[in-house]
Amino acid sequence: MDTPTTIRFVFLGALWLVLCFLVVATQPFTLRVLFIVVASGIVVWVPLYKKYIKNGKRKDER
């Protein structure tokens, strides 16, 4: 990965962590809150992984 992509990952990760903290801190921790955090993590990180990590390795090999 190049530097701008790494910076985007770090910024997005920090933003996601802050938002998850706000969700957890504002209400009691239940299975619903856990589901929200896990589902948001899947929605945010899986497409980024597929685009930059998984496909990025294929491009480097060619």
Coordinates of all heavy atoms in Angstrom, one line a residue:
M1 N 0.8 -1.2 0.0 CA 0.0 0.0 0.0 C 0.9 1.2 0.0 O 1.9 1.3 0.7 CB -0.9 0.0 1.3 CG -2.1 -0.8 1.1 SD -3.3 -0.5 2.4 CE -2.4 -0.9 3.9
D2 N 0.4 2.3 -0.7 CA 1.1 3.5 -0.7 C 0.7 4.4 0.5 O -0.2 4.0 1.3 CB 0.9 4.2 -2.0 CG -0.6 4.5 -2.3 OD1 -1.4 3.8 -1.7 OD2 -0.9 5.3 -3.2
T3 N 1.5 5.4 0.7 CA 1.3 6.3 1.9 C -0.1 6.9 2.0 O -0.7 6.9 3.1 CB 2.3 7.4 1.9 OG1 3.6 6.8 1.9 CG2 2.2 8.2 3.2
P4 N -0.7 7.5 0.9 CA -2.0 8.0 1.0 C -3.1 7.0 1.4 O -4.0 7.3 2.2 CB -2.3 8.6 -0.4 CG -1.0 8.9 -0.9 CD -0.1 7.8 -0.4
T5 N -3.0 5.8 0.9 CA -3.9 4.7 1.3 C -3.8 4.4 2.8 O -4.8 4.2 3.5 CB -3.7 3.5 0.4 OG1 -3.8 3.9 -0.9 CG2 -4.7 2.4 0.7
T6 N -2.6 4.3 3.3 CA -2.3 4.0 4.7 C -2.9 5.1 5.6 O -3.5 4.8 6.6 CB -0.8 3.9 4.9 OG1 -0.3 2.9 4.1 CG2 -0.5 3.5 6.4
I7 N -2.7 6.4 5.2 CA -3.3 7.5 5.9 C -4.8 7.4 5.9 O -5.4 7.6 7.0 CB -2.8 8.8 5.3 CG1 -1.3 9.0 5.6 CG2 -3.6 10.0 5.9 CD1 -0.7 10.1 4.9
R8 N -5.4 7.0 4.8 CA -6.9 6.9 4.8 C -7.3 5.8 5.7 O -8.4 5.9 6.4 CB -7.3 6.6 3.4 CG -7.4 7.8 2.5 CD -8.0 7.5 1.2 NE -6.9 7.6 0.2 CZ -6.7 7.0 -0.9 NH1 -7.6 6.1 -1.3 NH2 -5.7 7.2 -1.6
F9 N -6.6 4.7 5.7 CA -7.0 3.6 6.6 C -6.9 4.0 8.1 O -7.8 3.7 8.9 CB -6.0 2.4 6.4 CG -6.5 1.3 5.5 CD1 -6.1 1.3 4.2 CD2 -7.4 0.4 5.9 CE1 -6.6 0.3 3.3 CE2 -7.9 -0.6 5.1 CZ -7.5 -0.6 3.8
V10 N -5.8 4.7 8.5 CA -5.7 5.2 9.8 C -6.8 6.2 10.2 O -7.4 6.1 11.3 CB -4.3 5.8 10.0 CG1 -4.2 6.5 11.4 CG2 -3.2 4.7 9.9
F11 N -7.1 7.1 9.3 CA -8.1 8.1 9.6 C -9.5 7.4 9.7 O -10.2 7.7 10.7 CB -8.1 9.1 8.5 CG -9.2 10.2 8.7 CD1 -9.0 11.2 9.7 CD2 -10.4 10.2 8.0 CE1 -9.9 12.2 9.9 CE2 -11.3 11.1 8.2 CZ -11.1 12.1 9.2
L12 N -9.8 6.5 8.8 CA -11.1 5.8 8.9 C -11.2 4.9 10.1 O -12.2 4.9 10.8 CB -11.3 5.0 7.6 CG -12.6 4.3 7.5 CD1 -13.7 5.4 7.4 CD2 -12.6 3.5 6.2
G13 N -10.1 4.3 10.5 CA -10.1 3.5 11.7 C -10.3 4.3 13.0 O -11.0 3.9 13.8
A14 N -9.6 5.4 13.0 CA -9.8 6.3 14.2 C -11.2 6.8 14.3 O -11.8 6.9 15.4 CB -8.8 7.5 14.1
L15 N -11.8 7.2 13.1 CA -13.2 7.7 13.1 C -14.1 6.6 13.5 O -15.1 6.8 14.3 CB -13.5 8.2 11.7 CG -14.9 8.8 11.5 CD1 -15.1 10.0 12.4 CD2 -15.1 9.1 10.0
W16 N -13.9 5.4 13.0 CA -14.8 4.3 13.3 C -14.7 4.0 14.8 O -15.7 3.7 15.5 CB -14.4 3.1 12.5 CG -15.3 1.9 12.8 CD1 -16.5 1.6 12.4 CD2 -14.9 0.7 13.5 NE1 -17.0 0.4 12.8 CE2 -16.0 -0.2 13.6 CE3 -13.7 0.3 14.2 CZ2 -15.9 -1.4 14.2 CZ3 -13.7 -0.9 14.8 CH2 -14.7 -1.7 14.8
L17 N -13.5 4.0 15.4 CA -13.4 3.7 16.8 C -14.1 4.8 17.7 O -14.7 4.4 18.7 CB -11.9 3.6 17.2 CG -11.2 2.3 16.8 CD1 -9.7 2.5 17.1 CD2 -11.8 1.1 17.5
V18 N -13.9 6.0 17.3 CA -14.6 7.1 18.1 C -16.1 6.9 18.0 O -16.8 7.1 19.0 CB -14.2 8.5 17.5 CG1 -15.1 9.6 18.1 CG2 -12.7 8.7 17.9
L19 N -16.6 6.6 16.8 CA -18.1 6.5 16.7 C -18.6 5.2 17.5 O -19.6 5.3 18.1 CB -18.5 6.4 15.2 CG -18.3 7.6 14.4 CD1 -18.6 7.4 12.9 CD2 -19.2 8.7 15.0
C20 N -17.8 4.1 17.4 CA -18.2 3.0 18.2 C -18.1 3.3 19.7 O -19.0 2.8 20.5 CB -17.3 1.8 17.9 SG -17.6 1.0 16.3
F21 N -17.1 4.0 20.1 CA -17.1 4.5 21.5 C -18.3 5.3 21.9 O -18.8 5.1 23.0 CB -15.8 5.2 21.8 CG -15.7 5.8 23.2 CD1 -15.4 5.0 24.3 CD2 -16.0 7.2 23.4 CE1 -15.4 5.5 25.6 CE2 -15.9 7.7 24.7 CZ -15.6 6.9 25.8
L22 N -18.7 6.2 21.1 CA -19.9 7.0 21.4 C -21.1 6.1 21.5 O -22.0 6.4 22.4 CB -20.1 8.1 20.3 CG -19.1 9.2 20.3 CD1 -19.3 10.1 19.1 CD2 -19.2 10.0 21.6
V23 N -21.3 5.1 20.6 CA -22.4 4.2 20.7 C -22.4 3.5 22.0 O -23.4 3.3 22.7 CB -22.5 3.3 19.5 CG1 -23.5 2.2 19.7 CG2 -22.8 4.1 18.2
V24 N -21.2 2.9 22.4 CA -21.1 2.1 23.6 C -21.3 3.0 24.9 O -21.9 2.6 25.8 CB -19.8 1.4 23.6 CG1 -19.5 0.7 24.9 CG2 -19.8 0.3 22.5
A25 N -20.8 4.2 24.8 CA -20.8 5.1 26.0 C -22.1 5.7 26.3 O -22.4 6.0 27.4 CB -19.7 6.2 25.9
T26 N -23.0 5.8 25.3 CA -24.2 6.5 25.5 C -25.4 5.6 25.9 O -26.5 6.1 26.3 CB -24.7 7.3 24.2 OG1 -24.7 6.4 23.1 CG2 -23.7 8.4 23.9
Q27 N -25.2 4.3 25.9 CA -26.3 3.4 26.2 C -25.7 2.2 26.9 O -24.5 1.9 26.8 CB -27.1 3.0 25.0 CG -26.3 2.6 23.8 CD -27.2 2.6 22.6 OE1 -28.3 2.2 22.6 NE2 -26.7 3.0 21.5
P28 N -26.5 1.5 27.6 CA -26.0 0.3 28.3 C -25.5 -0.8 27.3 O -26.1 -0.9 26.2 CB -27.1 -0.3 29.1 CG -28.3 0.5 28.7 CD -27.9 1.7 28.0
F29 N -24.5 -1.5 27.6 CA -23.9 -2.5 26.7 C -24.8 -3.7 26.7 O -24.9 -4.5 27.7 CB -22.5 -2.9 27.1 CG -21.8 -3.7 26.1 CD1 -21.3 -3.0 25.0 CD2 -21.6 -5.0 26.2 CE1 -20.6 -3.7 24.0 CE2 -21.0 -5.7 25.2 CZ -20.5 -5.1 24.1
T30 N -25.5 -4.0 25.5 CA -26.3 -5.1 25.4 C -25.9 -5.9 24.1 O -25.0 -5.4 23.4 CB -27.8 -4.7 25.2 OG1 -27.9 -3.8 24.1 CG2 -28.3 -4.0 26.5
L31 N -26.6 -6.9 23.8 CA -26.3 -7.7 22.5 C -26.6 -6.8 21.3 O -26.0 -6.9 20.3 CB -27.1 -9.0 22.5 CG -26.6 -10.1 23.4 CD1 -27.5 -11.3 23.3 CD2 -25.2 -10.5 23.0
R32 N -27.6 -5.9 21.4 CA -28.0 -5.0 20.3 C -26.8 -4.1 20.0 O -26.5 -3.9 18.9 CB -29.2 -4.2 20.7 CG -29.6 -3.3 19.6 CD -30.9 -2.6 20.0 NE -31.3 -1.6 19.0 CZ -31.0 -0.3 19.0 NH1 -30.3 0.1 20.0 NH2 -31.4 0.5 18.0
V33 N -26.2 -3.5 21.1 CA -25.1 -2.6 20.9 C -23.9 -3.4 20.3 O -23.2 -2.9 19.4 CB -24.7 -2.0 22.2 CG1 -23.4 -1.2 22.1 CG2 -25.8 -1.1 22.7
L34 N -23.6 -4.6 20.8 CA -22.6 -5.4 20.2 C -22.8 -5.7 18.7 O -21.9 -5.6 17.9 CB -22.5 -6.7 21.0 CG -21.4 -7.7 20.5 CD1 -20.0 -7.1 20.7 CD2 -21.5 -9.0 21.3
F35 N -24.1 -6.0 18.4 CA -24.4 -6.3 17.0 C -24.1 -5.0 16.1 O -23.6 -5.1 15.0 CB -25.9 -6.7 16.9 CG -26.3 -6.8 15.5 CD1 -25.9 -7.9 14.7 CD2 -27.1 -5.9 14.9 CE1 -26.3 -8.1 13.4 CE2 -27.5 -6.0 13.5 CZ -27.1 -7.1 12.8
I36 N -24.5 -3.9 16.6 CA -24.3 -2.6 15.9 C -22.8 -2.4 15.6 O -22.4 -2.0 14.5 CB -24.9 -1.4 16.7 CG1 -26.4 -1.5 16.6 CG2 -24.4 -0.1 16.1 CD1 -27.1 -0.5 17.5
V37 N -22.0 -2.6 16.6 CA -20.5 -2.4 16.5 C -19.9 -3.4 15.5 O -19.2 -3.1 14.6 CB -19.8 -2.5 17.9 CG1 -18.3 -2.6 17.7 CG2 -20.3 -1.4 18.7
V38 N -20.3 -4.7 15.6 CA -19.8 -5.7 14.7 C -20.3 -5.5 13.3 O -19.5 -5.6 12.3 CB -20.2 -7.1 15.2 CG1 -19.9 -8.2 14.2 CG2 -19.5 -7.4 16.5
A39 N -21.6 -5.2 13.1 CA -22.1 -5.0 11.8 C -21.5 -3.8 11.1 O -21.1 -3.8 9.9 CB -23.6 -4.8 11.9
S40 N -21.2 -2.7 11.9 CA -20.6 -1.5 11.3 C -19.2 -1.8 10.9 O -18.7 -1.3 9.9 CB -20.7 -0.3 12.3 OG -19.8 -0.6 13.4
G41 N -18.5 -2.7 11.7 CA -17.1 -3.1 11.4 C -17.1 -3.8 10.1 O -16.2 -3.6 9.3
I42 N -18.0 -4.7 9.9 CA -18.1 -5.5 8.7 C -18.4 -4.6 7.5 O -17.7 -4.7 6.4 CB -19.1 -6.6 8.8 CG1 -18.7 -7.7 9.8 CG2 -19.4 -7.3 7.4 CD1 -19.7 -8.7 10.2
V43 N -19.3 -3.7 7.6 CA -19.7 -2.8 6.5 C -18.5 -1.9 6.2 O -18.3 -1.6 5.0 CB -20.9 -1.9 6.9 CG1 -21.1 -0.8 6.0 CG2 -22.1 -2.8 7.0
V44 N -17.7 -1.5 7.1 CA -16.6 -0.5 6.9 C -15.4 -1.3 6.4 O -14.7 -0.9 5.4 CB -16.3 0.3 8.2 CG1 -15.0 1.0 8.0 CG2 -17.4 1.2 8.5
W45 N -15.0 -2.4 7.0 CA -13.6 -2.9 6.8 C -13.6 -4.0 5.7 O -12.6 -4.1 5.1 CB -13.1 -3.5 8.1 CG -12.8 -2.4 9.1 CD1 -13.5 -2.1 10.2 CD2 -11.8 -1.4 9.0 NE1 -13.0 -1.0 10.8 CE2 -12.0 -0.5 10.1 CE3 -10.8 -1.1 8.1 CZ2 -11.2 0.6 10.3 CZ3 -10.0 0.0 8.3 CH2 -10.2 0.8 9.4
V46 N -14.7 -4.7 5.5 CA -14.6 -5.8 4.5 C -14.4 -5.2 3.1 O -13.6 -5.7 2.3 CB -15.8 -6.7 4.6 CG1 -15.9 -7.7 3.4 CG2 -15.8 -7.5 5.9
P47 N -15.2 -4.2 2.6 CA -14.9 -3.7 1.3 C -13.5 -3.1 1.1 O -12.9 -3.2 0.1 CB -16.0 -2.6 1.1 CG -17.1 -3.0 2.1 CD -16.4 -3.6 3.2
L48 N -13.0 -2.4 2.2 CA -11.7 -1.9 2.1 C -10.6 -3.0 2.0 O -9.7 -2.8 1.3 CB -11.4 -1.0 3.3 CG -12.2 0.3 3.3 CD1 -11.9 1.1 4.7 CD2 -11.8 1.2 2.2
Y49 N -10.9 -4.0 2.8 CA -9.9 -5.2 2.7 C -9.9 -5.8 1.3 O -8.9 -6.0 0.7 CB -10.3 -6.2 3.7 CG -9.5 -7.5 3.6 CD1 -8.2 -7.6 4.0 CD2 -10.1 -8.6 2.9 CE1 -7.5 -8.8 3.9 CE2 -9.3 -9.8 2.8 CZ -8.1 -9.8 3.3 OH -7.3 -11.0 3.1
K50 N -11.1 -6.0 0.7 CA -11.2 -6.6 -0.6 C -10.5 -5.7 -1.6 O -9.9 -6.1 -2.6 CB -12.6 -6.8 -1.0 CG -13.2 -8.0 -0.3 CD -14.6 -8.3 -0.7 CE -15.2 -9.5 -0.1 NZ -16.6 -9.7 -0.6
K51 N -10.7 -4.4 -1.5 CA -10.2 -3.5 -2.5 C -8.7 -3.3 -2.4 O -8.0 -3.3 -3.4 CB -10.9 -2.1 -2.4 CG -10.5 -1.1 -3.5 CD -11.3 0.1 -3.4 CE -10.9 1.1 -4.5 NZ -11.6 2.3 -4.5
Y52 N -8.2 -3.0 -1.2 CA -6.8 -2.6 -1.1 C -5.9 -3.7 -0.7 O -4.7 -3.7 -1.2 CB -6.7 -1.5 -0.1 CG -7.3 -0.2 -0.6 CD1 -8.5 0.3 0.0 CD2 -6.8 0.5 -1.7 CE1 -9.0 1.5 -0.4 CE2 -7.4 1.7 -2.1 CZ -8.5 2.2 -1.5 OH -9.1 3.3 -2.0
I53 N -6.3 -4.6 0.1 CA -5.4 -5.7 0.6 C -5.4 -6.9 -0.4 O -4.4 -7.3 -0.9 CB -5.8 -6.1 2.0 CG1 -5.8 -4.9 3.0 CG2 -4.8 -7.2 2.5 CD1 -4.5 -4.2 3.2
K54 N -6.6 -7.5 -0.6 CA -6.7 -8.7 -1.4 C -6.4 -8.4 -2.8 O -5.5 -9.1 -3.4 CB -8.1 -9.2 -1.2 CG -8.3 -10.6 -1.8 CD -9.7 -11.1 -1.5 CE -9.9 -12.5 -2.1 NZ -11.3 -12.9 -1.9
N55 N -7.0 -7.4 -3.4 CA -6.7 -7.1 -4.8 C -5.4 -6.4 -5.0 O -4.8 -6.4 -6.1 CB -7.9 -6.3 -5.4 CG -9.1 -7.1 -5.6 OD1 -9.1 -8.3 -5.7 ND2 -10.2 -6.4 -5.6
G56 N -4.9 -5.7 -4.0 CA -3.6 -5.0 -4.1 C -2.5 -6.0 -4.2 O -1.5 -5.7 -4.9
K57 N -2.6 -7.2 -3.6 CA -1.5 -8.2 -3.7 C -1.5 -8.7 -5.1 O -0.4 -9.1 -5.7 CB -1.8 -9.3 -2.7 CG -1.5 -8.8 -1.3 CD -1.7 -10.0 -0.3 CE -1.4 -9.5 1.1 NZ -1.7 -10.6 2.1
R58 N -2.6 -8.9 -5.8 CA -2.7 -9.4 -7.1 C -2.0 -8.5 -8.1 O -1.3 -8.9 -9.0 CB -4.1 -9.7 -7.6 CG -4.7 -10.9 -6.9 CD -6.1 -11.2 -7.6 NE -6.8 -12.0 -6.7 CZ -8.1 -12.0 -6.7 NH1 -8.8 -11.3 -7.5 NH2 -8.8 -12.8 -5.8
K59 N -2.3 -7.2 -7.9 CA -1.7 -6.2 -8.8 C -0.2 -6.1 -8.7 O 0.5 -5.9 -9.6 CB -2.3 -4.8 -8.5 CG -3.7 -4.7 -9.0 CD -4.3 -3.3 -8.6 CE -5.8 -3.3 -9.0 NZ -6.4 -2.0 -8.6
D60 N 0.3 -6.4 -7.4 CA 1.8 -6.3 -7.2 C 2.5 -7.5 -7.9 O 3.6 -7.5 -8.3 CB 2.1 -6.3 -5.7 CG 1.7 -5.0 -5.1 OD1 1.6 -4.0 -5.8 OD2 1.5 -5.0 -3.9
E61 N 1.8 -8.7 -8.0 CA 2.4 -9.9 -8.5 C 2.5 -9.8 -10.0 O 3.3 -10.4 -10.6 CB 1.5 -11.1 -8.1 CG 1.6 -11.4 -6.6 CD 0.7 -12.5 -6.3 OE1 -0.1 -13.0 -7.1 OE2 0.7 -12.9 -5.1
R62 N 1.7 -9.0 -10.7 CA 1.7 -9.0 -12.2 C 2.7 -8.1 -12.7 O 3.5 -7.4 -12.4 CB 0.3 -8.4 -12.7 CG -0.8 -9.3 -12.5 CD -2.1 -8.8 -13.0 NE -3.2 -9.6 -12.6 CZ -4.4 -9.3 -12.8 NH1 -4.7 -8.2 -13.4 NH2 -5.4 -10.1 -12.5

